[in-house]
Every structure is written in structure tokens, then in C-alpha cells.
Amino acid sequence: MEVEGMEDEGPSSQNELPDLRATQQQQQPAGLQSSTPAENVCVNQKAVDKLTEGFLSHYLPDLQNSKRALQELTQNQLILLDTLDQEVTKFRECNTLLDLNSLFTEAKIYQNKLVSIRKEMIMLHEKTTKLKKRALKLQQQKQKELLEKEQQRERELERERQLIAKPAKRT
């Protein structure tokens, strides 16, 4: 089918051949004529058409197959690039998940530390409360003992005063 299309284009390029020869002859300087007899050869237009048709029929299918293969390879490369991008995205997500997992593990560790600190603080609070109560009891007991000693001393002083002989009043 392409050959037919090329055949349609053939006459327009064939009509240009004589014009090209004339242009080439005009471009050569007058003193420099080619010594090759090939320029003087007459070419049969039918022969050129058949050679062109044969050349195209021989190489065109291979060229078309190569073009299709290249297009298919390009399409496959694009698909592979998209797939590779998706895989890279998946790896990034996996790394993100690993980071999240490590963050959750770290958060769990810190939560456990906070729980143990809280328990320790509660225990220390209970101990300080008990110590304050004991200190208060001891202080009260000491005050009571001091009061009792003071009272005992006063009683002893009173008793000694009473025991001290008093001179009798002379009447």
C-alpha cells in the first residue's frame, strides 16, 4: 500500500530529475567540464520507476517493521518508566512506614518510661506523706514529753517549796 503511495509521488520526483541535471550543469564553471561520460547517459524513465519501485518494495517492509518495533520499544520503555516510578513510590512508602513504626516503637518506650516515672512519683508521694505524719506524731510526742517534763519539774519545785521549812510565825 505504501508502495502505491510512493508510486504516486514518483512522477513528481521524476519530473524534478531533469531540472536537477540542468541546475548542476549551470552551477559548474565554464572551464571545469566533467570528463566522466556518466553525465551524458540518457536514463529511461520507466527504468527509474521500476528501480525505485523495486528498491521500495525490497526495503520498505523492513523499514516499516523496524519503525513498528521502535514504536513498540518506545511504548514499552514508557510503560517500564511508569512501573519504575510506581515501584520507587512504593519503596518510599515502605521507608515511611518503617519510619512510622520506629516512631511508634519510640513512643511506646517513652510512654513506658512515663508510666514508671508516674508510679515512682506516686510511691514517693505516699512515702513523704507517711514521713510527714510520722514527723508530726514524733513532734507531738516530743512536745507532750517536754510538757510532761515541765509539769513534773513544776510539781517537784512545788513539792520542794512545800518541804522547805517555813519559819513559824511567832505570835
Side-chain angles (χ1 to χ4, degrees), residues 149-164:
K149 277 185 179 181
E150 186 66 31
Q151 289 175 351
Q152 180 70 22
R153 194 187 310 143
E154 285 180 16
R155 276 185 265 162
E156 285 179 11
L157 283 176
E158 186 66 32
R159 188 172 163 201
E160 280 183 25
R161 268 191 246 148
Q162 287 176 0
L163 288 177
I164 294 179

Side-chain angles (χ1 to χ4, degrees), residues 21 24-25 28 32-42:
R21 283 191 202 126
Q24 287 175 352
Q25 288 174 357
Q28 290 180 353
L32 294 175
Q33 288 293 330
S34 176
S35 61
T36 58
E39 288 186 14
N40 295 334
V41 175
C42 290

Side-chain angles (χ1 to χ4, degrees), residues 132-145:
K132 284 180 183 177
K133 285 181 182 178
R134 185 173 174 206
L136 184 63
K137 281 183 181 179
L138 287 174
Q139 187 179 10
Q140 289 173 349
Q141 186 178 1
K142 193 170 187 180
Q143 286 176 352
K144 187 177 178 183
E145 286 176 2

Side-chain angles (χ1 to χ4, degrees), residues 27 49 59 66 70 72 74 81-82 87 93 99 104 109 115 117 119 122-124 127 129 132 148 161 163 171:
Q27 289 176 351
D49 289 344
Y59 287 107
S66 297
L70 285 173
E72 186 176 330
T74 304
L81 283 173
D82 288 341
E87 292 299 318
E93 288 174 358
D99 291 342
F104 280 121
I109 290 169
V115 167
I117 290 171
K119 286 179 182 178
I122 290 171
M123 183 182 67
L124 289 173
K127 282 184 178 182
T129 306
K132 284 180 183 177
E148 286 177 2
R161 268 191 246 148
L163 288 177
T171 32

Side-chain angles (χ1 to χ4, degrees), residues 76-94:
N76 288 342
Q77 281 181 338
L78 291 174
I79 291 170
L80 283 174
L81 283 173
D82 288 341
T83 306
L84 189 62
D85 283 340
Q86 291 173 357
E87 292 299 318
V88 166
T89 304
K90 286 180 185 178
F91 280 123
R92 286 185 181 144
E93 288 174 358
C94 285

